[in-house]
């Protein structure tokens, strides 16, 4: 039963990671300027896309590999990558200062929500694998 739950968690992680990756370049993108200039929120968007790819690869590997120790390590890496994704827009890489800008209104809260869910799901998987190892 716990293995089935782990697979469900992995599928959710993969789906959310793909939404984050594709979304950060499409419907969750940063500000677009009429003059073609690039602001720092663009670089935050690029970093979120890269971290989304990393999170998707970790989730896919966790789905394909069945050794508990490896999956537990992948879940731990997912926790770290998820936290890094939460911190990227606005903290590690600044976004626009104006509250009405697209990066503040759409990208920042959406990325933090999705990345926060990914972090929680990775933590849940790490805990589920720990329970499997103990035989609970």
């Amino acid at each position: 039963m716990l293995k089935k739950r782990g697979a469900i968690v992995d599928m959710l992680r993969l789906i959310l990671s793909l939404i984050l990756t594709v979304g950060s370049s499409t419907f969750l993108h940063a500000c677009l300027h009429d003059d073609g200039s690039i602001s720092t929120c663009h670089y935050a968007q690029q970093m979120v896309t890269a971290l989304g790819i990393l999170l998707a690869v970790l989730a896919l590997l966790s789905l394909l590999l069945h050794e508990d120790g490896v999956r537990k390590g992948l879940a731990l890496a997912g926790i770290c990558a998820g936290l890094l994704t939460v911190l990227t827009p606005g903290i590690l890489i600044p976004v626009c200062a104006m509250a009405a800008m697209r990066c503040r209104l759409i990208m920042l809260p959406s990325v933090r929500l999705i990345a926060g869910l990914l972090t929680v799901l990775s933590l849940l998987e790490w805990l589920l694998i720990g329970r499997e190892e103990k035989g609970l």
Side-chain angles (χ1 to χ4, degrees), residues 55-106:
L55 287 162
V57 168
L58 291 172
L60 184 62
L61 286 173
S62 190
L63 264 172
L64 297 175
L65 302 174
H66 300 291
E67 187 177 329
D68 284 344
V70 173
R71 287 181 56 236
K72 197 169 185 180
L74 291 169
L76 189 58
I79 294 168
C80 295
L83 288 174
L84 186 60
T85 307
V86 168
L87 296 174
T88 294
I91 296 174
L92 296 176
I93 301 175
V95 294
C96 296
M98 288 179 47
M101 296 300 284
R102 180 177 174 80
C103 59
R104 284 244 179 234
L105 286 175
I106 296 171

Side-chain angles (χ1 to χ4, degrees), residues 1-13 62 66-69 71-73 75-76 79 119-136:
M1 184 68 158
L2 287 176
K3 294 250 187 218
K4 192 179 288 187
R5 286 184 192 159
I8 292 170
V9 169
D10 284 336
M11 284 300 296
L12 288 172
R13 285 176 54 205
S62 190
H66 300 291
E67 187 177 329
D68 284 344
R71 287 181 56 236
K72 197 169 185 180
L76 189 58
I79 294 168
T119 304
V120 169
L121 286 172
S122 295
L123 179 62
L124 178 63
E125 177 159 9
W126 186 76
L127 293 171
L128 285 173
I129 295 168
R131 287 184 73 187
E132 286 176 14
E133 288 175 344
K134 292 179 183 177
L136 296 175

